[in-house]
Amino acid sequence: MPELLEVLVRVAIVIAAFLVLPLIVGQIEHKTMAHMQSRVGPMYAGAFHGWAQLVADGVKFVQKEAVVPAAADRQVFKLAPAVAMLPYLVAFLAVPLGPGLVGQDLDLGLFFVLAVMGVGVVGTLMAGWASANKFSLLGGIRVAAQLMAYELPFVLAAASVAMAAGTLSLLGIVEAWNPWWLLWQLPAMVVFFVAGLAELQRPPFDMPIADAELVFGPYTEYGGLRFAVFLLAEYAGIVLLSALTAVLFLGGWRGPFEEQLGWLWTLAKTGLVAFVVVWIRVAYPRLREDQLQRLAWQGLVPLALFQLAITAVGVVVMAS
Amino acid sequence: MADNTAYYGAYLPLVVMLVVGAALVVAMFAGNRLLRPTHATREKLLTYECGVDPVGEGWAQHHVRYYVFAYLYVIFAVDAVFLFPWATVFGGLGWVSVGEMAVFIGFIAVGLVYAWRKGVLTWT
């Protein structure tokens, strides 16, 4: 019984993190984007620099009418937001903050997180199909093509780290991490981060949403709380990608005073990567659909294969 | 059997998380149901098409070129399955193992080069 209680406490903490961290990233995005574009962003809600803006948004979303278009495939339409969000929630469980600070340490942690992240996109696909809207369908097909193109470099870059560490456990990878990996695994880090951005459909890889051409892609017919759940999934995805980049490539909790402040290091590195995600959104224009595909197949995949070769040679040379 | 119990035990929190997560979603939408207004009109339930009445069906025909990307993905998806187990042990197996994996991935890479030269990655 105490075991089950412990499990419940861990699950509760992970859910709290899942509900709070994406909001913090969202707020940072509001304010950072605003200041990068010479605006001030939200200032009213919560009185101090609009800190409660997203809380106010949430209160509003929960009161809004839930419209399901008459032509839509109702059940799939309603289920899609939950399918988009839950995988990220489950993945949060396996991401470590510090040596013992993890929802659940899995031997297959890395593999598990990658597999579960892939499921999240199915929710977007379901939304695109079930809406029975031309824009949604086009967006949905773009999502499918984008996922397939970028899943590959994403997985190959992660495999490179697994090869270097000799384990798939996320805790084990951080234990094996060494500062010189920053150089050795640099191509993998770039590939992983860029491919991760594309999987999350973040600008400059937001062709599926492309508000100038597709209205809002798969989310065109969504409003109210269902739309909010999709948004939450997107920002949870940013947190997850940032945390994974920090854990796999930036050494997680490794740093000065790691005995006492390890978890703070993980959070700081995650925050830094999340800031770069926002920065890139402001800095780059959207790619065209075929440019997107070419970047994946002709840029990232060869680069990831090159990285695999470097890693393999490095590991064998160090082992012998 | 004892070892298996410990192994599967590690996945218990995942099951709990899925159940609690599903309950969370249900609670969110139950709250929404209590708080929201419902005034469905025929116009509101119409498919959105930039403000004019929709033409034809939403499930429209689409260009076949996306299909090629699915094939390209399948070429490579297989190798990821073999790559991860190999990644954790190859350090002890040495150069021979690296050579074998290089041959394997090399074969797959030829598929990519073929698609590239065929021009499927360029649209005009």
Side-chain angles (χ1 to χ4, degrees), chain B residues 55-75:
Chain B
V55 180
E57 256 204 305
W59 289 303
Q61 289 190 336
H62 205 269
H63 203 293
V64 71
R65 59 192 164 197
Y66 284 103
Y67 183 61
V68 179
F69 297 127
Y71 269 135
L72 270 179
Y73 177 68
V74 173
I75 295 175

Side-chain angles (χ1 to χ4, degrees), chain A residues 62 70 129 133-134 138 221, chain B residues 32 44-45 48 55 59 62:
Chain A
V62 84
W129 176 256
N133 179 315
K134 296 187 189 70
L138 277 168
E221 294 287 1
Chain B
N32 183 218
K44 197 189 278 177
L45 298 183
Y48 178 78
V55 180
W59 289 303
H62 205 269

Side-chain angles (χ1 to χ4, degrees), chain B residues 17-91:
Chain B
M17 180 57 110
L18 265 180
V19 173
V20 175
L24 183 73
V25 172
V26 170
M28 280 163 76
F29 283 98
N32 183 218
R33 187 177 288 268
L34 291 176
L35 293 171
R36 75 191 177 202
T38 306
H39 302 296
T41 60
R42 210 187 72 81
E43 285 74 23
K44 197 189 278 177
L45 298 183
L46 214 55
T47 301
Y48 178 78
E49 215 157 274
C50 304
V52 294
D53 286 355
V55 180
E57 256 204 305
W59 289 303
Q61 289 190 336
H62 205 269
H63 203 293
V64 71
R65 59 192 164 197
Y66 284 103
Y67 183 61
V68 179
F69 297 127
Y71 269 135
L72 270 179
Y73 177 68
V74 173
I75 295 175
F76 273 96
V78 183
D79 89 314
V81 177
F82 292 108
L83 201 57
F84 275 99
W86 174 79
T88 56
V89 295
F90 83 102

